[in-house]
Amino acid sequence: MNKTHMTLGEYIIDNQNHFKYSSGELSRLINSIRLAAKVVNHEIRKAGLVDITGASGDINVQGETQQKLDVLANDLFKQTLINREIVCGIGSEEEDDFIVVEGKNKANDNKYVLLMDPLDGSSNIDVNVSVGTIFSIYRRVSPEGTRVTKEDFLQKGSEQVAAGYVAYGTSTILVFTTGNGVNGFTLNPAIGTFYLSHPNIQIPKKGSIYSINEGNYVHFPQGVKEYLKFCQEEKENRPYTSRYIGSLVSDFHRNMIKGGIYMYPTSTIGPKGKLRLLYECNPMAFIAEQAGGKATDGYRRILDLEPTELHQRVPFFCGSTDMVEKAEEFMAKHPEDANY
Ligand code: P6P
């Protein structure tokens, strides 16, 4: 039930009994994400004034240069989750392996694991371009009271109980689903409260925006090249336009509101694509489907993919159903590209 000017806290209380396995823990988990998002937002808004922009000097497990804010956001979300003893384990883009949350053994009784990209698109921070946080929540599969295991994290995206993102843009918006539709909450920075601003978001079935790094064009699979040419040569009143911010959360959020497709396909320079299945593609796919959109690897539903590794990468086609299905039509003509 959505009332006007409802706060995130009121929404969680009003909808708690809709959360799968509602026992209050999921509500507390979302509340802890809310707190961490406000703190990260505060740090991002002053980047450039204090020494938290630029590279940290470290390289993460992805082989990517860690930005100072990457490390800060990772530490903030981790600490908030650990302090509240809500999850029994955490997976993060910035951590080589998953983190076991033990505490006074109480944590091992916790039912959930969380996977996150604490600050996606962080290389954009130094040039004042929007960045985001992405999170994915599962119920553990290992017995409660025991130490969390890798299997708790390597679950299909269809098993997620909640997923969301925070877009630190012209305003800061927290968008999430618990399997009953998608709602967006915008932060009022003056009082530090998230208000329901985008109830029941539905991705327009048709769209006219395609979002892809066309700098990689010569390296794309043939089906992607053919789809891009279709968009660029479409005869009826040239409906398509290209928008690529270089920040998944921003490109995705724009498509959620206006319609569009985001693509990060395989290429000869990235044979499995770039985006990570567990904490980028799965949460965004869950949200997209809950908003009436579609998400595939060009051939298969993202949420059906069986994970094998914590940081595995998969190709990603996500957004307005009609656009994703049109792209899949071109991909289907090249089945040789289905095995990456
Ligand atoms: P490229 C950011 O690093 C990210 O994971 C996404 O947020 C973004 O869409 C993509 O990579 C940009 O990658 O190769 O186009 O610079």
Side-chain angles (χ1 to χ4, degrees):
M1 173 182 64
N2 297 330
K3 303 168 193 144
T4 53
H5 302 302
M6 177 182 257
T7 68
L8 175 54
E10 289 162 351
Y11 173 86
I12 289 171
I13 292 165
D14 273 10
N15 291 275
Q16 174 157 296
N17 56 355
H18 296 160
F19 298 163
K20 221 173 170 183
Y21 319 108
S22 72
S23 65
E25 278 181 315
L26 186 56
S27 304
R28 283 173 45 220
L29 183 40
I30 292 169
N31 270 318
S32 65
I33 291 167
R34 168 178 61 167
L35 171 63
K38 285 197 275 194
V39 178
V40 169
N41 176 66
H42 175 72
E43 294 302 327
I44 287 172
R45 299 302 172 195
K46 62 185 183 181
L49 296 175
V50 293
D51 180 26
I52 46 170
T53 57
S56 68
D58 295 328
I59 304 286
N60 66 16
V61 66
Q62 328 288 340
E64 295 165 347
T65 302
Q66 274 186 324
Q67 303 298 312
K68 287 175 188 161
L69 268 172
D70 276 329
V71 176
L72 184 74
N74 187 55
D75 291 348
L76 279 166
F77 273 95
K78 241 177 22 181
Q79 210 47 58
T80 306
L81 292 163
I82 291 169
N83 289 351
R84 297 211 177 172
E85 293 189 343
I86 303 167
V87 297
C88 56
I90 301 168
S92 169
E93 178 184 86
E94 303 305 330
E95 302 284 345
D96 295 3
D97 203 351
F98 61 85
I99 296 163
V100 177
V101 179
E102 282 174 337
K104 304 174 285 299
N105 196 38
K106 254 186 76 211
N108 282 341
D109 294 336
N110 295 336
K111 300 182 180 68
Y112 297 100
V113 295
L114 179 137
L115 291 130
M116 65 178 175
D117 182 355
L119 204 62
D120 180 72
S122 53
S123 55
N124 291 307
I125 290 164
D126 295 0
V127 294
N128 209 20
V129 168
S130 304
V131 291
T133 296
I134 308 170
F135 62 89
S136 169
I137 299 168
Y138 290 89
R139 191 175 173 83
R140 70 183 301 176
V141 292
S142 56
E144 288 175 30
T146 65
R147 190 183 170 91
V148 72
T149 65
K150 192 162 199 172
E151 287 63 37
D152 291 311
F153 296 93
L154 299 184
Q155 299 185 54
K156 287 199 299 187
S158 54
E159 296 302 310
Q160 292 173 95
V161 295
Y165 60 84
V166 185
Y168 308 98
T170 45
S171 59
T172 296
I173 184 168
L174 168 60
V175 177
F176 72 95
T177 181
T178 56
N180 297 293
V182 181
N183 290 285
F185 298 82
T186 299
L187 178 66
N188 176 339
I191 56 175
T193 300
F194 281 99
Y195 283 92
L196 179 62
S197 54
H198 296 73
N200 190 27
I201 301 175
Q202 291 291 304
I203 300 184
K205 197 167 179 305
K206 299 181 183 307
S208 60
I209 298 171
Y210 64 88
S211 193
I212 188 169
N213 184 343
E214 291 188 78
N216 297 328
Y217 179 84
V218 296
H219 304 291
F220 286 152
Q222 189 55 31
V224 171
K225 291 178 178 175
E226 291 170 3
Y227 176 63
L228 290 177
K229 284 300 155 222
F230 163 80
C231 291
Q232 290 154 3
E233 294 166 359
E234 170 72 7
K235 296 294 175 285
E236 294 106 61
N237 60 53
R238 292 278 303 115
Y240 291 94
T241 188
S242 171
R243 288 282 183 279
Y244 193 66
I245 300 169
S247 178
L248 167 62
V249 171
S250 304
D251 282 313
F252 181 90
H253 185 68
R254 182 204 54 243
N255 291 347
M256 286 281 281
I257 307 300
K258 294 192 166 185
I261 183 172
Y262 172 96
M263 294 172 281
Y264 209 105
T266 60
S267 71
T268 51
I269 46 180
K272 294 188 180 297
K274 176 180 184 182
L275 301 189
R276 275 58 54 133
L277 173 60
L278 290 185
Y279 42 79
E280 290 173 323
C281 300
N282 271 340
M284 294 316 227
F286 186 22
I287 294 165
E289 289 195 1
Q290 283 288 310
K294 190 165 186 183
T296 78
D297 64 2
Y299 299 92
R300 290 162 288 257
R301 182 183 180 229
I302 288 289
L303 296 184
D304 290 340
L305 297 180
E306 201 68 57
T308 53
E309 289 303 324
L310 200 57
H311 300 290
Q312 78 184 79
R313 300 172 193 265
V314 295
F316 194 51
F317 297 67
C318 182
S320 295
T321 299
D322 285 9
M323 297 184 81
V324 174
E325 290 179 349
K326 176 57 82 175
E328 286 180 300
E329 277 179 31
F330 289 97
M331 299 304 283
K333 296 173 186 168
H334 304 277
E336 67 279 9
D337 291 326
N339 302 309
Y340 46 89

